[in-house]
Amino acid sequence: MKKYLLGVDFGTTALKACLFDSEGNRIDSQSAQYKLITKGEFIEFDANEFFNVFSSTVKKITDKHHVDAISIDTQGETLIAIDKDGNPLMNAIIWLDNRAEKQAKEMQDIFGLEKMYNLTGQTEIPAGYPAPKIKWLKENAPEIFNKTDKFLLLEDYIIYRMTGEFNASRSLYSSSLLMNVHTGEYIPEILEYLSISKNQLPQLQESGTVVGEYNGMKVVTSALDQIAGITGAGVVKEGLMSETTGTALAVCAVTEKFPPYFDGLKVSAFYVRKGLYCLLMWAPTAGAVLEWFKGNFCENVSLKELDELASNVQEGSEGLISLPYLCGTVMPENNPNAKGVFFGVELKHTRPHFARAIMESVAYMIKEYVDYLGVEIDEIRSMGGGARSSLWCDIKTKVLNKKVVTLNENETACLGSAIFAGKGIGVFDSVESAVNNLVKKKLTYEPQPSNYQNLYQDYKQKEKLLMKIF
C-alpha cells in the first residue's frame, strides 16, 4: 500500500512543499515567498509568521490529499528565542544577520579555530551562527536573554508549533557551534561560556526520527537544507558528489573520514549521521554570470538558443578565458576584491564564445573544488538550472573526467525531506534503501576524450597571473 510523504524545504525567502508517494512520484507541490525585515546589519523575520507561511502552504496540500508523514528541512543558523509559554520574545534572527561580529571574534580568540573545527567541524566562526548570537543577546538584550526558556533554530520551532515538543535534527545543529560534530551532542564547554544549559535547547535527534503528530500526519525530523538536498540527489555514500549550478555554486561530497585541520582550511564538515560528514564548498556566482551576460548582451536570445550557439564553439572557446568572480571569491581563497574577467578577446570572438567561456570557467571551478576536497569521486549528481544545459553537463564531464548524472526530480531538498519522512514511519529500512527507491536518474554523461585536461592547466596558469591584479 502506497504511503504519502510530504517534504518541506524552508529557504531564506521562500518555502516549497512537495508531496511524494512511496515510489518517488511527485503528487503535488505548493510554494510561498516572504520578505525579510532588514534594518542595517539586523536581518529578521516574525517567528509567528514563519509558522503561518508554513501552515497555510501545507494546508493547500492536505486539503486535497492524504498525507502519512511530514518532514521539514530549513535554512541553517536562524535563531528564535521563546519564553516558558512558547511565545517568541523577538523576531527570529536570520542567518544573514551580522550583529554578533564582536562576539564571534571573541569566541575565535578564546577557543581558537583549530579547537572549534575539531569540536564542531566548522572552519570559521561567523557572526551569523547561533552561538555568537546568543552571546550578543546576553550582552545587548539581557531582558530577552533572561526570559528565554528555549533557544531554537527554525526546524525546531516549526516542530514545536506542530507537536508541542522540543526536538531538533543533529544535522541542522552542525553550524550552530553548540554541537560536537562527532558525537552529535551539545558541548558543555560552549554552553558554559554562553551561560546557558542544555535544558534551554531542544533534544537532538537523528534525521528520520518520529517526534509527534500534526493534523493526522507523523512529524519526522529532517536536516539542514543542504543535507536534505544531497539526500534527495542520492549522495548518501562515499564516491558520490553533488554540484548545484544555480545563481551560486555549491559542491558537496560525503566522507567517513574527518579531514585533519591545517592553517587556512576552508571546508567545513557537516553532520549527516554519526561517522558520516558532508564537505561543502561554494561560490557566490556561477549561473548568475551566464544570466548577467544574457541579460546585458543577448536580450533577445533564450538560454536554450545561447546553449545551442555555444555548442558550435570548439573546446577552449578559441583562447577566450572567463573568470566568473563577479562577487569575489570565497573558496579556496577568500578574496572579496576579485573581479570578473574576459581575457584574450580577439575580433573572431562572438557571443557564443563568451557564453561557452563562462560555462567552461564554472566547470573549471568545480574541478578545483573536487581537487581541493581530496576525496575519491566516481559520479557527480548535477542539479540547479545548469543541469538543464546538455552542453554545460558535457563540458563538466570532460573537464572533471567523471560521470555526470542529472535527475528527474529538481526539488531535491523536498525529496530528501520526504525520504526522511518515509524512513521515520518505516516505509524504508534506511535512508540508503529509500534513495534506491525514490531517486531516479534522468540523463547520464559519460567521460569522453577531450583536450580539457590541458586547457584546465592553461586556465589555472592565466588565472593565477590575473588574480595578482586584485
Side-chain angles (χ1 to χ4, degrees), residues 5-53:
L5 312 168
L6 183 54
V8 180
D9 175 35
F10 224 133
T12 304
T13 58
L15 176 147
K16 297 175 184 176
C18 297
L19 180 66
F20 299 91
D21 65 23
S22 48
E23 295 176 353
N25 302 303
R26 196 202 297 186
I27 307 302
D28 196 0
S29 61
Q30 298 289 335
S31 63
Q33 293 185 323
Y34 40 92
K35 188 175 181 180
L36 303 178
I37 304 166
T38 303
K39 297 178 181 178
E41 290 188 338
F42 286 26
I43 304 176
E44 303 178 345
F45 193 72
D46 185 325
N48 286 311
E49 189 59 22
F50 267 137
F51 187 74
N52 292 338
V53 170

Side-chain angles (χ1 to χ4, degrees), residues 135-367:
K135 188 71 169 177
W136 184 93
L137 288 173
K138 182 177 186 293
E139 294 176 355
N140 295 274
E143 70 284 359
I144 291 174
F145 180 84
N146 293 330
K147 289 180 182 178
T148 299
D149 185 66
K150 289 286 190 298
F151 293 99
L152 304 175
L153 303 188
L154 183 53
E155 183 196 21
D156 330 341
Y157 177 70
I158 301 298
I159 287 175
Y160 166 69
R161 292 291 300 268
M162 286 193 291
T163 68
E165 301 293 334
F166 296 105
N167 289 285
S169 62
R170 288 186 168 95
S171 163
L172 185 64
Y173 274 73
S174 293
S175 53
S176 67
L177 303 179
L178 302 171
M179 186 192 80
N180 186 306
V181 73
H182 308 292
T183 66
E185 302 299 336
Y186 292 120
I187 306 168
E189 185 179 0
I190 299 294
L191 302 191
E192 182 180 359
Y193 167 74
L194 298 174
S195 302
I196 64 173
S197 73
K198 67 177 183 180
N199 293 330
Q200 290 179 277
L201 299 167
Q203 182 70 38
L204 294 171
Q205 309 284 359
E206 291 297 305
S207 298
T209 301
V210 176
V211 291
E213 288 194 7
Y214 174 67
N215 293 345
M217 301 176 285
K218 295 292 185 184
V219 177
V220 184
T221 53
S222 180
L224 178 69
D225 51 7
Q226 290 285 354
I227 305 302
I230 65 170
T231 301
V235 181
V236 294
K237 62 181 181 180
E238 291 184 326
L240 297 177
M241 187 192 88
S242 70
E243 70 84 11
T244 304
T245 301
T247 300
L249 173 70
V251 171
C252 297
V254 294
T255 179
E256 296 176 359
K257 299 174 183 175
F258 186 74
Y261 181 83
F262 61 85
D263 287 341
L265 177 65
K266 296 292 184 183
V267 182
S268 294
F270 292 81
Y271 186 99
V272 179
R273 56 173 170 76
K274 287 183 181 177
L276 188 67
Y277 309 94
C278 172
L279 307 181
L280 169 65
M281 297 188 74
W282 66 282
T285 52
V289 184
L290 193 62
E291 288 281 1
W292 166 83
F293 178 72
K294 177 195 173 301
N296 287 283
F297 303 102
C298 312
E299 302 95 322
N300 300 318
V301 180
S302 70
L303 284 172
K304 183 178 180 181
E305 290 169 331
L306 195 59
D307 196 67
E308 292 171 353
L309 291 169
S311 67
N312 295 317
V313 175
Q314 68 184 40
E315 294 175 0
S317 303
E318 294 193 75
L320 180 64
I321 282 177
S322 166
L323 300 190
Y325 307 136
L326 273 64
C327 292
T329 64
V330 178
M331 294 181 174
E333 295 298 328
N334 183 13
N335 184 354
N337 296 317
K339 302 291 187 292
V341 172
F342 286 104
F343 175 80
V345 183
E346 299 181 46
L347 289 173
K348 64 183 177 183
H349 291 129
T350 60
R351 288 188 295 187
H353 288 87
F354 284 83
R356 185 174 186 117
I358 291 168
M359 293 180 184
E360 290 174 338
S361 69
V362 173
Y364 293 150
M365 192 158 49
I366 295 171
K367 177 170 173 53

Side-chain angles (χ1 to χ4, degrees), residues 47 79-83 86-93 137 144-145 148-152:
L79 183 69
I80 299 171
I82 64 172
D83 64 18
N87 299 311
L89 289 163
M90 60 181 296
N91 286 335
I93 307 177
L137 288 173
I144 291 174
F145 180 84
T148 299
D149 185 66
K150 289 286 190 298
F151 293 99
L152 304 175

Side-chain angles (χ1 to χ4, degrees), residues 1 68 133 157 168 205-206 314 357 405 418 422 428 455-456 462 470:
M1 183 177 176
D68 292 288
K133 288 174 183 172
Y157 177 70
Q205 309 284 359
E206 291 297 305
Q314 68 184 40
V405 172
F428 310 108
L455 290 168
Y456 174 71
K462 290 185 171 65
F470 307 124

